[in-house]
Amino acid sequence: ALEELTCYDLRLELATHTLNCGTKSVRLSPKEFEVLRLLMSAPGGVIPKDQLISRVWGLESEAEDNNAEAIIFLLRKLLYLGSAAAINTLRKVGYRLEAGNRK
């Protein structure tokens, strides 16, 4: 079984929902974990927002775009802890995890 996902300088432990970056680690909420896992599974690939919502919240869910945006916002704050990776929004398309150009 896959125990962790690695992408750029991020390491996501699947059993514990812990995100590691360098010496820092943070425990993700279930939704944060699912969203980041999707993004890390396809680095550089675009995840459409509707697909993200259906995969994370379920097709029958009442989740709205702003639910997804709220989680992306939280994950971005976590990545600012020092990751070189960044979650970019492609307007009207979706989200993409890519190597940031942090100086």
Side-chain angles (χ1 to χ4, degrees), residues 1 4 8 14 18 28 33 35-36 38 46-48 60 64 68 73 76 80-81 86 88-89 92-93 95 99 103:
E4 61 181 36
Y8 306 119
L14 302 185
T18 302
L28 302 179
F33 170 77
V35 169
L36 191 59
L38 268 179
V46 177
I47 308 282
E60 302 302 308
E64 301 290 332
F73 176 76
R76 279 191 177 129
Y80 288 146
L81 293 175
N88 293 317
T89 302
K92 305 229 183 301
V93 182
Y95 299 104
K103 299 285 178 279

Side-chain angles (χ1 to χ4, degrees), residues 3-15:
E3 312 235 323
E4 61 181 36
L5 270 178
T6 54
C7 182
Y8 306 119
D9 56 359
L10 302 173
R11 205 174 83 247
L12 186 61
E13 293 176 26
L14 302 185

Side-chain angles (χ1 to χ4, degrees), residues 19 27-39 49 52-53 56-57 63-80 87 89 95:
L19 175 65
R27 183 105 187 256
L28 302 179
S29 76
K31 294 280 189 278
E32 289 168 347
F33 170 77
E34 291 295 339
V35 169
L36 191 59
R37 187 173 70 163
L38 268 179
L39 289 166
K49 193 186 278 184
L52 189 123
I53 289 173
V56 174
W57 282 268
E64 301 290 332
D65 283 4
N66 57 6
N67 292 85
E69 284 157 17
I71 297 287
I72 294 286
F73 176 76
L74 290 168
L75 288 172
R76 279 191 177 129
K77 284 173 72 170
L78 294 176
L79 295 185
Y80 288 146
I87 299 171
T89 302
Y95 299 104

